[in-house]
Amino acid sequence: MTSNMSDVTPAKLAAAFRAAFSTRWTRRHGHAPPTGDTGARPLPEGEQAGQSGTPGPVAAESTLWRMRTTVKDEPGSLAALCTVLAGQRIDILSLQTHPLAEGTVDEFLLRAPGALEGAAITQAVARAGGADTWIERADTHDLVDAPTRVLGLATRTALDAAELPLALRQLLGRCTIRSLPAAPVGGGRGPEGVPVEGALEDTVMRLRAPEGGVITVERPYLPFTPTEFARARALVELDARLGPRVPRSQDLLTLPQGHDITVRRADTGDLAAAVAMHERCSPRTLGMRYHGPVGDADRYLNHLLSPRFGRTLAVQTASGRIVGLGHLLWDGDETEVALLVEDAWQRRGIGAELLERLVAMAAEAGCESVYAVTQSSNTGMVAAMRGLGLPLDYQIEEGTLVITARLAPGAEPERAVRVTRVEAP
């Protein structure tokens, strides 16, 4: 039983058969995409995914589940499994097989009666010979078949280099992805190299990053299959072949004072202009942003502008001078926002505009919250966070103020400026 089946109808199967460089930087391994942007959605308390025996949800007319189990690679094993599921009135909406050296991992999308708990499903699977079973809640997004989903992720990656870590997360489900640069920003030894073809070790895969360094993907409890490893490697190879790229659309804005500015995506190609902006900023402004003296802004900015670690928005004047930068940084299982506005352009609504856009991008990426690390004396940043109109948490951490905003699904802050979207030539 080594054939791949990307979509099998329920009827057929029933019959036979998902830095900013703050004080936190020093405590983390690197920036990674948010947990929320996964093919597997977070579950309410008491309904978390787990291995066989984990309680599941109750009380719904029908429930979608994603399930993985390992069966023997011999005739009749899949038929026995599907017969047991049919006996529980469970419809099999789709099936993928992942052949291994010994046995086969079968991945199902199931529709089960709402009263049927996850534990009952895994117990039934165990009776049919399934082992190492993993089950979690799914939703209608998971109804897209695997080839269509992979093609969509490849398209997103092709259009925007910043999409690679997010695409990997959606491809592989609930996991932690870290991009480690070949030369760490703070100096020191870089990560251990990996072979050109990458390395797969149970629940960890390591891939050579397109720009150097290493991309590490970890998924607790659920080992990666060779098929998943091949798909991830193909996405990284596509990214490497296409080279650096960001969307070139831009928005023309009119500030309340009447000045016209442009907001667009930025990348490492804007390094020289960003360093020049640093040179025009006062020591106090830079200290507020970086929480201390900044002697090598070019090294910091080269990392911050890289799409591997998040997304950056730049604000430029009609003359093309960059006067503001906003960063959305993947920070482990959290997402950080950071702002820097040139002194002469402060108190004009630029920071609030950047923050609103970054928060909207975070929500689109599936983040549940964003945090900003600042100082209590930075009244501009505190006011901008409060201006979002979102629930906020405040805490003092290592002498700095950490403000966390919990994102409301689908919520978009009100804009204080007029926006005209244009396509860059």
Side-chain angles (χ1 to χ4, degrees):
M1 191 188 66
T2 57
S3 60
N4 288 322
M5 301 170 62
S6 61
D7 189 286
V8 181
T9 65
K12 290 180 181 178
L13 286 170
F17 312 71
R18 175 142 309 227
F21 286 83
S22 64
T23 55
R24 290 194 172 196
W25 172 260
T26 59
R27 303 201 311 281
R28 302 192 181 273
H29 299 290
H31 288 104
T35 299
D37 194 79
T38 71
R41 278 79 186 168
L43 306 181
E45 186 68 27
E47 298 182 12
Q48 295 300 321
Q51 293 176 313
S52 300
T54 300
V58 295
E61 290 187 7
S62 66
T63 304
L64 293 177
W65 294 91
R66 291 181 62 193
M67 184 186 75
R68 246 182 216 211
T69 192
T70 302
V71 298
K72 294 181 179 179
D73 189 7
E74 60 184 32
S77 58
L78 181 57
L81 178 59
C82 293
T83 299
V84 167
L85 292 175
Q88 298 285 329
R89 297 176 56 231
I90 298 173
D91 288 337
I92 300 173
L93 304 182
S94 68
L95 165 65
Q96 294 183 73
T97 63
H98 302 258
L100 303 177
E102 295 182 4
T104 300
V105 174
D106 291 331
E107 183 173 353
F108 297 89
L109 179 63
L110 306 173
R111 178 184 288 121
L116 190 63
E117 297 186 353
I121 298 175
T122 57
Q123 290 167 5
V125 169
R127 290 196 301 271
D132 300 323
T133 301
W134 180 273
I135 190 168
E136 66 180 357
R137 288 286 299 272
D139 64 23
T140 53
H141 294 87
D142 295 299
L143 292 171
V144 179
D145 67 286
T148 301
R149 186 172 74 251
V150 171
L151 286 172
L153 295 176
T155 300
R156 287 175 50 182
T157 302
L159 294 174
D160 186 351
E163 289 290 330
L164 176 62
L166 299 177
L168 285 171
R169 183 179 288 278
Q170 285 199 325
L171 175 69
L172 301 170
R174 197 185 309 277
C175 58
T176 298
I177 302 175
R178 301 192 185 280
S179 295
L180 305 176
V185 176
R189 186 177 179 180
E192 181 182 349
V194 296
V196 174
E197 66 276 11
L200 174 60
E201 202 173 308
D202 199 33
T203 59
V204 179
M205 68 170 71
R206 300 170 70 237
L207 302 164
R208 182 175 291 186
E211 72 289 347
V214 176
I215 297 173
T216 301
V217 188
E218 299 181 52
R219 185 170 64 190
Y221 310 119
L222 187 60
F224 293 110
T225 66
T227 300
E228 290 177 310
F229 181 55
R231 290 173 180 171
R233 193 171 56 194
L235 265 184
V236 174
E237 182 178 350
L238 171 66
D239 183 89
R241 288 181 177 274
L242 293 175
R245 63 212 176 277
V246 295
R248 293 301 174 189
S249 59
Q250 58 189 29
D251 289 342
L252 300 178
L253 312 179
T254 301
L255 297 174
Q257 297 85 354
H259 298 92
D260 289 336
I261 58 173
T262 299
V263 178
R264 60 173 177 81
R265 284 282 298 279
D267 61 11
T268 52
D270 296 292
L271 178 60
V275 171
M277 186 189 77
H278 269 222
E279 294 172 349
R280 295 191 300 271
C281 290
S282 67
R284 181 180 184 278
T285 291
L286 292 177
M288 288 286 190
R289 166 62 184 85
Y290 295 104
H291 316 290
V294 180
D296 50 355
D298 53 341
R299 279 205 304 164
Y300 286 159
L301 285 170
N302 192 63
H303 179 94
L304 292 172
L305 292 170
S306 170
R308 298 296 172 226
F309 306 105
R311 298 172 182 169
T312 297
L313 293 177
V315 174
Q316 65 182 39
T317 63
S319 65
R321 172 182 290 187
I322 290 181
V323 296
L325 290 171
H327 304 286
L328 184 70
L329 298 166
W330 313 140
D331 188 9
D333 291 338
E334 300 177 294
T335 307
E336 182 175 3
V337 289
L339 305 174
L340 177 65
V341 178
E342 187 177 326
D343 294 62
W345 288 83
Q346 293 176 8
R347 296 179 179 80
R348 304 191 188 196
I350 291 178
E353 174 66 19
L354 284 173
L355 184 60
E356 289 172 2
R357 287 169 176 266
L358 293 172
V359 167
M361 292 166 70
E364 184 182 8
C367 305
E368 294 182 350
S369 64
V370 298
Y371 73 87
V373 181
T374 185
Q375 301 172 22
S376 57
S377 57
N378 190 349
T379 55
M381 188 64 179
V382 174
M385 291 292 288
R386 294 181 62 184
L388 292 171
L390 298 172
L392 300 178
D393 294 327
Y394 301 85
Q395 67 180 106
I396 299 295
E397 185 171 314
E398 297 183 7
T400 64
L401 174 64
V402 180
I403 309 175
T404 301
R406 298 192 300 276
L407 307 186
E412 184 173 344
E414 235 179 81
R415 298 197 183 281
V417 296
R418 189 171 69 251
V419 179
T420 304
R421 190 171 184 81
V422 300
E423 293 296 326

